[in-house]
Coordinates of all heavy atoms in Angstrom, one line a residue:
M1 N 17.4 -35.9 -9.2 CA 16.5 -35.5 -8.0 C 15.2 -34.9 -8.6 O 15.3 -34.0 -9.3 CB 17.3 -34.6 -7.1 CG 16.5 -33.9 -6.1 SD 17.4 -33.0 -4.8 CE 18.7 -32.2 -5.7
S2 N 14.1 -35.5 -8.2 CA 12.8 -34.9 -8.6 C 12.5 -33.7 -7.9 O 13.0 -33.4 -6.8 CB 11.7 -36.0 -8.4 OG 11.3 -36.0 -7.1
K3 N 11.5 -32.9 -8.4 CA 11.1 -31.6 -7.8 C 10.5 -31.8 -6.4 O 10.8 -31.1 -5.5 CB 10.1 -30.9 -8.7 CG 10.0 -29.4 -8.3 CD 9.1 -28.7 -9.2 CE 9.1 -27.2 -8.8 NZ 8.7 -26.9 -7.5
K4 N 9.8 -33.0 -6.3 CA 9.1 -33.2 -5.0 C 10.1 -33.4 -3.9 O 10.0 -32.9 -2.8 CB 8.2 -34.4 -5.1 CG 7.1 -34.5 -4.0 CD 6.1 -35.5 -4.3 CE 5.0 -35.5 -3.2 NZ 5.6 -35.9 -1.9
S5 N 11.1 -34.3 -4.1 CA 12.1 -34.5 -3.1 C 12.9 -33.3 -2.8 O 13.4 -33.1 -1.6 CB 13.0 -35.7 -3.5 OG 13.8 -35.3 -4.6
Y6 N 13.1 -32.4 -3.8 CA 13.8 -31.2 -3.6 C 13.0 -30.3 -2.6 O 13.5 -29.7 -1.7 CB 13.9 -30.5 -4.9 CG 14.7 -29.2 -4.9 CD1 16.1 -29.2 -4.8 CD2 14.0 -27.9 -4.9 CE1 16.8 -28.0 -4.8 CE2 14.7 -26.8 -4.9 CZ 16.1 -26.8 -4.8 OH 16.8 -25.6 -4.7
E7 N 11.7 -30.2 -2.8 CA 10.8 -29.4 -1.9 C 10.8 -30.0 -0.5 O 10.9 -29.3 0.5 CB 9.3 -29.5 -2.4 CG 9.1 -28.7 -3.7 CD 9.0 -27.2 -3.5 OE1 8.8 -26.8 -2.4 OE2 9.3 -26.5 -4.5
E8 N 10.8 -31.4 -0.4 CA 10.9 -32.0 0.9 C 12.2 -31.7 1.6 O 12.2 -31.5 2.8 CB 10.7 -33.5 0.8 CG 9.2 -33.9 0.7 CD 9.0 -35.4 0.2 OE1 10.0 -36.1 0.1 OE2 7.9 -35.7 0.0
R9 N 13.2 -31.7 0.9 CA 14.5 -31.5 1.5 C 14.7 -30.0 2.0 O 15.2 -29.8 3.0 CB 15.6 -31.8 0.4 CG 17.0 -31.8 1.0 CD 17.9 -32.5 0.1 NE 19.3 -32.3 0.5 CZ 20.4 -32.5 -0.2 NH1 20.2 -33.0 -1.4 NH2 21.6 -32.3 0.3
W10 N 14.3 -29.1 1.2 CA 14.6 -27.7 1.5 C 13.4 -27.0 2.1 O 13.5 -25.8 2.6 CB 15.0 -27.0 0.2 CG 16.3 -27.5 -0.4 CD1 16.4 -28.4 -1.4 CD2 17.6 -27.3 0.1 NE1 17.7 -28.7 -1.6 CE2 18.5 -28.0 -0.7 CE3 18.1 -26.6 1.2 CZ2 19.8 -28.1 -0.5 CZ3 19.5 -26.6 1.4 CH2 20.3 -27.3 0.6
G11 N 12.2 -27.6 2.0 CA 11.0 -26.9 2.6 C 10.5 -25.8 1.7 O 11.1 -25.6 0.6
P12 N 9.5 -25.1 2.1 CA 9.0 -24.0 1.2 C 10.1 -22.9 1.1 O 10.7 -22.5 2.1 CB 7.8 -23.4 2.0 CG 7.8 -24.0 3.4 CD 8.9 -25.1 3.4
H13 N 10.3 -22.5 -0.1 CA 11.4 -21.5 -0.4 C 11.1 -20.8 -1.7 O 10.2 -21.2 -2.5 CB 12.8 -22.2 -0.5 CG 12.9 -23.1 -1.7 ND1 12.4 -24.4 -1.6 CD2 13.3 -22.9 -2.9 CE1 12.6 -24.9 -2.8 NE2 13.2 -24.1 -3.6
S14 N 11.8 -19.7 -1.9 CA 11.6 -18.9 -3.1 C 12.9 -19.0 -3.9 O 13.9 -19.6 -3.4 CB 11.4 -17.4 -2.8 OG 10.2 -17.3 -2.0
H15 N 13.0 -18.4 -5.0 CA 14.2 -18.3 -5.8 C 14.5 -16.9 -6.1 O 13.7 -16.0 -6.3 CB 14.0 -19.1 -7.1 CG 13.9 -20.6 -6.9 ND1 15.0 -21.4 -6.8 CD2 12.8 -21.3 -6.7 CE1 14.6 -22.6 -6.6 NE2 13.3 -22.6 -6.5
C16 N 15.8 -16.6 -6.0 CA 16.3 -15.3 -6.3 C 15.8 -14.9 -7.7 O 15.9 -15.6 -8.7 CB 17.8 -15.3 -6.3 SG 18.6 -13.7 -6.8
V17 N 15.2 -13.7 -7.9 CA 14.7 -13.2 -9.2 C 15.7 -13.0 -10.2 O 15.4 -12.9 -11.4 CB 13.8 -12.0 -9.0 CG1 12.5 -12.3 -8.2 CG2 14.5 -10.8 -8.3
I18 N 17.0 -12.9 -9.8 CA 18.1 -12.6 -10.7 C 18.8 -13.9 -11.1 O 18.9 -14.2 -12.2 CB 19.1 -11.6 -10.1 CG1 18.4 -10.2 -9.8 CG2 20.3 -11.4 -11.0 CD1 17.8 -9.5 -11.1
C19 N 19.3 -14.6 -10.1 CA 20.2 -15.8 -10.4 C 19.5 -17.1 -10.2 O 20.0 -18.1 -10.6 CB 21.5 -15.7 -9.7 SG 21.3 -15.8 -7.9
G20 N 18.3 -17.1 -9.5 CA 17.5 -18.3 -9.3 C 18.0 -19.2 -8.2 O 17.5 -20.3 -8.0
N21 N 18.9 -18.7 -7.4 CA 19.3 -19.4 -6.2 C 18.2 -19.6 -5.2 O 17.3 -18.7 -5.1 CB 20.4 -18.6 -5.4 CG 21.8 -18.9 -6.0 OD1 22.0 -19.8 -6.8 ND2 22.8 -18.1 -5.5
A22 N 18.2 -20.7 -4.5 CA 17.1 -21.0 -3.5 C 17.4 -20.0 -2.3 O 18.5 -19.9 -1.8 CB 17.2 -22.4 -3.0
I23 N 16.3 -19.4 -1.9 CA 16.4 -18.4 -0.8 C 15.2 -18.6 0.1 O 14.2 -19.2 -0.3 CB 16.5 -17.0 -1.3 CG1 15.4 -16.7 -2.4 CG2 17.8 -16.6 -1.9 CD1 15.2 -15.3 -2.8
P24 N 15.2 -18.1 1.4 CA 14.1 -18.3 2.3 C 12.8 -17.7 1.6 O 12.8 -16.7 0.9 CB 14.5 -17.4 3.5 CG 16.0 -17.3 3.4 CD 16.3 -17.3 2.0
E25 N 11.7 -18.4 1.9 CA 10.4 -17.9 1.4 C 10.1 -16.5 1.8 O 10.4 -16.1 2.9 CB 9.3 -18.8 1.9 CG 8.1 -18.9 1.0 CD 7.0 -19.7 1.6 OE1 7.0 -20.0 2.8 OE2 6.1 -20.1 0.8
G26 N 9.6 -15.7 0.8 CA 9.3 -14.3 1.0 C 10.4 -13.4 0.6 O 10.2 -12.2 0.5
E27 N 11.6 -13.9 0.5 CA 12.7 -13.1 0.1 C 12.7 -13.0 -1.5 O 12.1 -13.8 -2.1 CB 14.0 -13.7 0.5 CG 14.2 -13.9 2.0 CD 14.6 -12.6 2.7 OE1 15.4 -11.9 2.1 OE2 14.1 -12.4 3.8
K28 N 13.3 -11.9 -2.0 CA 13.3 -11.8 -3.4 C 14.7 -12.0 -4.0 O 14.8 -12.4 -5.2 CB 12.9 -10.3 -3.8 CG 11.4 -10.2 -4.1 CD 11.1 -8.8 -4.4 CE 10.1 -8.6 -5.6 NZ 9.7 -7.2 -5.8
Y29 N 15.7 -11.7 -3.3 CA 17.1 -11.8 -3.8 C 18.0 -12.6 -2.8 O 17.7 -12.6 -1.6 CB 17.7 -10.4 -4.1 CG 16.7 -9.3 -4.2 CD1 16.3 -8.6 -3.1 CD2 16.2 -9.0 -5.4 CE1 15.4 -7.6 -3.2 CE2 15.2 -8.0 -5.6 CZ 14.8 -7.3 -4.5 OH 13.9 -6.3 -4.6
C30 N 19.1 -13.2 -3.4 CA 20.0 -13.9 -2.5 C 21.0 -13.0 -1.9 O 21.6 -13.4 -0.9 CB 20.6 -15.1 -3.3 SG 21.7 -14.5 -4.6
S31 N 21.3 -11.9 -2.5 CA 22.3 -11.0 -2.0 C 22.1 -9.6 -2.4 O 21.2 -9.3 -3.2 CB 23.7 -11.5 -2.6 OG 23.7 -11.3 -4.0
E32 N 22.9 -8.7 -1.8 CA 22.8 -7.2 -2.2 C 23.1 -7.0 -3.7 O 22.6 -6.1 -4.3 CB 23.8 -6.4 -1.3 CG 23.3 -6.2 0.1 CD 22.0 -5.4 0.2 OE1 22.0 -4.3 -0.5 OE2 21.0 -5.8 0.8
I33 N 24.0 -7.9 -4.2 CA 24.4 -7.7 -5.6 C 23.2 -8.0 -6.5 O 23.0 -7.2 -7.4 CB 25.6 -8.7 -5.9 CG1 26.8 -8.4 -5.1 CG2 25.9 -8.7 -7.4 CD1 27.8 -9.5 -5.0
C34 N 22.5 -9.0 -6.2 CA 21.3 -9.3 -7.0 C 20.2 -8.3 -6.8 O 19.5 -7.9 -7.8 CB 20.8 -10.7 -6.7 SG 21.7 -12.0 -7.4
K35 N 20.1 -7.7 -5.6 CA 19.1 -6.7 -5.3 C 19.5 -5.4 -6.2 O 18.6 -4.8 -6.8 CB 19.2 -6.3 -3.9 CG 18.0 -5.4 -3.5 CD 18.1 -5.0 -2.0 CE 17.0 -4.0 -1.7 NZ 17.3 -3.2 -0.5
T36 N 20.7 -5.1 -6.2 CA 21.2 -3.9 -7.0 C 20.9 -4.2 -8.5 O 20.4 -3.3 -9.2 CB 22.7 -3.7 -6.8 OG1 23.0 -3.7 -5.5 CG2 23.2 -2.4 -7.5
K37 N 21.2 -5.4 -9.0 CA 20.9 -5.8 -10.4 C 19.5 -5.7 -10.7 O 19.1 -5.2 -11.8 CB 21.4 -7.2 -10.6 CG 22.8 -7.3 -11.0 CD 23.1 -8.7 -11.5 CE 24.6 -9.0 -11.5 NZ 24.9 -10.4 -11.7
Y38 N 18.6 -6.2 -9.8 CA 17.2 -6.1 -10.0 C 16.7 -4.7 -10.1 O 15.9 -4.4 -11.0 CB 16.5 -6.8 -8.8 CG 15.0 -6.8 -8.9 CD1 14.3 -7.7 -9.8 CD2 14.2 -6.0 -8.1 CE1 13.0 -7.6 -9.9 CE2 12.8 -6.0 -8.2 CZ 12.2 -6.8 -9.1 OH 10.9 -6.8 -9.2
E39 N 17.2 -3.8 -9.2 CA 16.7 -2.4 -9.2 C 17.2 -1.7 -10.5 O 16.5 -0.9 -11.0 CB 17.2 -1.7 -7.9 CG 16.3 -2.1 -6.7 CD 16.9 -1.7 -5.4 OE1 18.0 -1.2 -5.4 OE2 16.2 -1.9 -4.4
E40 N 18.4 -2.1 -10.9 CA 18.9 -1.5 -12.2 C 18.0 -2.0 -13.4 O 17.7 -1.1 -14.2 CB 20.3 -2.0 -12.4 CG 21.3 -0.9 -12.9 CD 22.6 -1.0 -12.2 OE1 23.4 -1.7 -12.8 OE2 22.8 -0.4 -11.2
N41 N 17.7 -3.2 -13.4 CA 16.8 -3.7 -14.4 C 15.4 -3.0 -14.4 O 14.9 -2.6 -15.5 CB 16.4 -5.2 -14.2 CG 17.6 -6.1 -14.6 OD1 18.6 -5.6 -15.2 ND2 17.5 -7.4 -14.3
L42 N 14.9 -2.7 -13.2 CA 13.7 -2.0 -13.1 C 13.8 -0.6 -13.6 O 12.9 -0.1 -14.3 CB 13.3 -2.0 -11.6 CG 11.8 -2.0 -11.2 CD1 11.2 -3.4 -11.7 CD2 11.7 -1.8 -9.7
K43 N 14.9 0.0 -13.3 CA 15.2 1.4 -13.8 C 15.3 1.4 -15.3 O 14.7 2.3 -15.9 CB 16.5 1.9 -13.2 CG 16.4 3.1 -12.3 CD 17.7 3.6 -11.8 CE 18.1 3.1 -10.4 NZ 19.5 3.4 -10.1
N44 N 15.9 0.5 -15.9 CA 16.1 0.4 -17.3 C 14.7 0.2 -18.0 O 14.4 0.8 -19.0 CB 17.0 -0.8 -17.7 CG 18.4 -0.5 -17.5 OD1 18.8 0.7 -17.3 ND2 19.3 -1.5 -17.5
A45 N 13.9 -0.7 -17.4 CA 12.5 -0.9 -17.9 C 11.7 0.4 -17.9 O 11.0 0.6 -18.8 CB 11.8 -2.0 -17.1
R46 N 11.8 1.1 -16.8 CA 11.1 2.4 -16.7 C 11.6 3.4 -17.7 O 10.7 4.1 -18.3 CB 11.3 3.0 -15.3 CG 10.4 2.3 -14.3 CD 10.2 3.2 -13.1 NE 9.6 2.4 -12.0 CZ 10.2 2.2 -10.8 NH1 11.4 2.7 -10.6 NH2 9.7 1.4 -9.9
R47 N 12.9 3.4 -18.0 CA 13.4 4.3 -19.0 C 12.9 3.9 -20.4 O 12.5 4.8 -21.2 CB 14.9 4.3 -19.0 CG 15.5 5.5 -19.7 CD 17.0 5.6 -19.4 NE 17.7 4.4 -19.7 CZ 18.9 4.0 -19.2 NH1 19.5 4.7 -18.3 NH2 19.4 2.9 -19.6
Q48 N 12.9 2.6 -20.6 CA 12.4 2.1 -21.9 C 10.9 2.5 -22.1 O 10.5 2.9 -23.2 CB 12.5 0.6 -22.0 CG 13.9 0.0 -22.0 CD 14.4 0.0 -23.4 OE1 13.7 -0.6 -24.3 NE2 15.5 0.5 -23.7
Q49 N 10.1 2.4 -21.0 CA 8.7 2.8 -21.1 C 8.6 4.3 -21.4 O 7.8 4.7 -22.3 CB 8.1 2.5 -19.8 CG 6.6 2.3 -19.9 CD 5.9 1.8 -18.7 OE1 6.3 2.2 -17.6 NE2 5.0 0.9 -18.8
K50 N 9.4 5.1 -20.8 CA 9.4 6.6 -21.0 C 9.7 6.8 -22.5 O 9.1 7.7 -23.1 CB 10.4 7.2 -20.2 CG 9.8 7.9 -18.9 CD 10.8 8.7 -18.2 CE 10.5 8.7 -16.7 NZ 11.7 9.1 -15.9
I51 N 10.7 6.1 -23.1 CA 11.1 6.3 -24.5 C 9.9 5.9 -25.4 O 9.6 6.7 -26.3 CB 12.4 5.5 -24.8 CG1 13.6 6.1 -24.1 CG2 12.6 5.4 -26.3 CD1 14.8 5.2 -24.0
S52 N 9.2 4.8 -25.1 CA 8.1 4.4 -25.9 C 7.0 5.4 -25.8 O 6.3 5.7 -26.8 CB 7.7 3.0 -25.7 OG 7.3 2.8 -24.3
Y53 N 6.7 6.0 -24.7 CA 5.7 7.0 -24.5 C 6.1 8.2 -25.4 O 5.2 8.8 -26.0 CB 5.6 7.5 -23.1 CG 4.8 6.5 -22.2 CD1 5.0 6.4 -20.8 CD2 3.7 5.8 -22.7 CE1 4.3 5.5 -20.0 CE2 3.0 4.9 -21.9 CZ 3.3 4.8 -20.6 OH 2.6 4.0 -19.8
F54 N 7.4 8.6 -25.4 CA 7.8 9.7 -26.1 C 7.6 9.5 -27.6 O 7.1 10.4 -28.3 CB 9.3 9.9 -25.9 CG 10.0 10.9 -26.8 CD1 9.8 12.3 -26.5 CD2 10.7 10.6 -27.9 CE1 10.3 13.3 -27.3 CE2 11.3 11.5 -28.7 CZ 11.1 12.9 -28.4
F55 N 7.8 8.2 -28.1 CA 7.6 8.0 -29.5 C 6.1 8.0 -29.9 O 5.8 8.5 -30.9 CB 8.2 6.6 -29.9 CG 9.7 6.7 -30.2 CD1 10.6 6.2 -29.4 CD2 10.1 7.4 -31.4 CE1 12.0 6.3 -29.7 CE2 11.4 7.5 -31.7 CZ 12.4 6.9 -30.8
I56 N 5.3 7.5 -29.0 CA 3.8 7.6 -29.2 C 3.4 9.1 -29.3 O 2.7 9.4 -30.2 CB 3.1 6.8 -28.1 CG1 3.3 5.3 -28.3 CG2 1.6 7.1 -28.2 CD1 3.0 4.5 -27.0
A57 N 3.9 9.9 -28.4 CA 3.6 11.3 -28.4 C 4.1 12.0 -29.7 O 3.4 12.8 -30.3 CB 4.2 12.0 -27.2
A58 N 5.3 11.6 -30.1 CA 5.9 12.2 -31.3 C 5.1 11.8 -32.5 O 4.9 12.6 -33.4 CB 7.3 11.7 -31.4
M59 N 4.6 10.6 -32.6 CA 3.8 10.1 -33.7 C 2.5 10.9 -33.7 O 2.0 11.3 -34.8 CB 3.5 8.6 -33.5 CG 4.7 7.7 -33.8 SD 5.2 7.8 -35.5 CE 4.1 6.7 -36.3
G60 N 1.9 11.2 -32.6 CA 0.7 11.9 -32.5 C 0.9 13.3 -33.0 O 0.1 13.8 -33.8
V61 N 2.0 14.0 -32.6 CA 2.3 15.3 -33.0 C 2.5 15.3 -34.5 O 2.0 16.2 -35.2 CB 3.5 15.8 -32.3 CG1 4.1 17.1 -32.9 CG2 3.2 16.1 -30.8
L62 N 3.2 14.3 -35.0 CA 3.5 14.2 -36.5 C 2.2 14.1 -37.2 O 2.0 14.8 -38.3 CB 4.4 13.0 -36.7 CG 5.2 13.0 -38.0 CD1 6.3 14.1 -37.9 CD2 5.8 11.6 -38.2
L63 N 1.3 13.3 -36.8 CA 0.0 13.1 -37.4 C -0.8 14.5 -37.5 O -1.3 14.8 -38.5 CB -0.9 12.1 -36.7 CG -0.7 10.6 -37.1 CD1 -1.4 9.7 -36.2 CD2 -1.1 10.4 -38.5
V64 N -0.7 15.2 -36.4 CA -1.4 16.5 -36.3 C -0.8 17.5 -37.3 O -1.5 18.1 -38.1 CB -1.4 17.1 -34.9 CG1 -1.9 18.5 -34.9 CG2 -2.3 16.2 -34.0
V65 N 0.6 17.5 -37.4 CA 1.3 18.3 -38.3 C 1.0 18.0 -39.7 O 0.7 18.9 -40.6 CB 2.8 18.3 -38.0 CG1 3.6 19.0 -39.1 CG2 3.1 18.9 -36.6
M66 N 1.0 16.7 -40.0 CA 0.7 16.2 -41.4 C -0.8 16.6 -41.8 O -1.0 17.1 -42.9 CB 0.7 14.7 -41.4 CG 2.1 14.1 -41.2 SD 3.1 14.0 -42.7 CE 2.6 12.4 -43.3
F67 N -1.7 16.5 -40.9 CA -3.0 16.9 -41.1 C -3.2 18.4 -41.4 O -3.8 18.8 -42.4 CB -3.9 16.5 -39.9 CG -5.3 16.9 -40.0 CD1 -6.2 16.1 -40.8 CD2 -5.8 18.0 -39.3 CE1 -7.5 16.5 -40.9 CE2 -7.1 18.4 -39.5 CZ -8.0 17.6 -40.2
L68 N -2.5 19.2 -40.5 CA -2.5 20.6 -40.7 C -1.9 21.0 -42.0 O -2.4 21.9 -42.7 CB -1.8 21.3 -39.5 CG -2.6 21.4 -38.2 CD1 -1.7 22.0 -37.1 CD2 -3.9 22.2 -38.4
L69 N -0.8 20.4 -42.3 CA -0.1 20.7 -43.6 C -0.9 20.4 -44.8 O -1.1 21.2 -45.7 CB 1.2 19.9 -43.7 CG 2.5 20.6 -43.1 CD1 3.7 19.7 -43.3 CD2 2.7 21.9 -43.8
S70 N -1.6 19.2 -44.8 CA -2.4 18.9 -46.0 C -3.6 19.8 -46.0 O -4.1 20.1 -47.1 CB -2.8 17.4 -45.9 OG -3.7 17.2 -44.8
F71 N -4.1 20.2 -44.9 CA -5.2 21.1 -44.8 C -4.8 22.5 -45.4 O -5.5 23.1 -46.2 CB -5.7 21.3 -43.4 CG -6.8 22.2 -43.2 CD1 -8.1 21.8 -43.5 CD2 -6.7 23.5 -42.6 CE1 -9.2 22.7 -43.3 CE2 -7.7 24.4 -42.4 CZ -9.0 24.0 -42.8
L72 N -3.6 23.0 -45.0 CA -3.2 24.3 -45.4 C -2.8 24.3 -46.9 O -3.1 25.2 -47.6 CB -1.9 24.7 -44.6 CG -2.2 25.1 -43.1 CD1 -0.9 25.3 -42.4 CD2 -3.0 26.4 -43.1
L73 N -2.2 23.2 -47.3 CA -1.8 23.1 -48.8 C -3.0 22.9 -49.7 O -3.0 23.2 -50.8 CB -0.8 21.9 -48.9 CG 0.6 22.1 -48.3 CD1 1.4 20.9 -48.3 CD2 1.3 23.3 -48.9
G74 N -4.0 22.3 -49.1 CA -5.2 22.1 -49.9 C -6.0 23.3 -50.1 O -6.9 23.3 -51.0
Q75 N -5.7 24.4 -49.4 CA -6.5 25.6 -49.6 C -6.3 26.3 -51.0 O -5.1 26.4 -51.4 CB -6.1 26.6 -48.5 CG -6.5 26.2 -47.1 CD -8.0 26.3 -46.9 OE1 -8.6 27.4 -47.1 NE2 -8.7 25.3 -46.5
Ligands
ZN101 ZN1 20.8 -14.0 -6.7

């Protein structure tokens, strides 16, 4: 079945962001289960971002400490 005939048969529609099932246009998920999964993924992504921010901050602090140490030891 080609994509065009699929569109003609089902009309405008979206796909579930989790499992890819065809769903009414404008919807994001096919079920509460997929909605929960999606929100969990989002939460994990946010946590990952927080962790990477932490590492960037830690690297910055480390650089400052290294700089201060070399400055103090150079005296
Ligand atoms: Zn789904």
Side-chain angles (χ1 to χ4, degrees):
M1 166 168 45
S2 75
K3 195 177 184 300
K4 199 171 183 291
S5 67
Y6 183 79
E7 291 284 336
E8 274 167 10
R9 187 168 170 189
W10 298 102
H13 64 279
S14 303
H15 290 273
C16 174
V17 292
I18 299 299
C19 65
N21 274 350
I23 47 172
E25 203 180 17
E27 299 280 321
K28 262 179 143 178
Y29 339 92
C30 65
S31 64
E32 282 298 309
I33 297 161
C34 283
K35 191 183 175 202
T36 310
K37 271 189 197 167
Y38 179 75
E39 280 167 359
E40 222 140 86
N41 285 351
L42 214 66
K43 242 184 262 170
N44 285 344
R46 283 201 192 116
R47 196 169 56 204
Q48 290 275 309
Q49 201 172 41
K50 259 186 211 164
I51 291 167
S52 56
Y53 282 149
F54 172 78
F55 275 111
I56 290 163
M59 286 298 275
V61 170
L62 203 69
L63 273 174
V64 171
V65 169
M66 296 273 275
F67 177 77
L68 283 176
L69 270 180
S70 68
F71 180 76
L72 288 172
L73 292 173
Q75 291 289 303

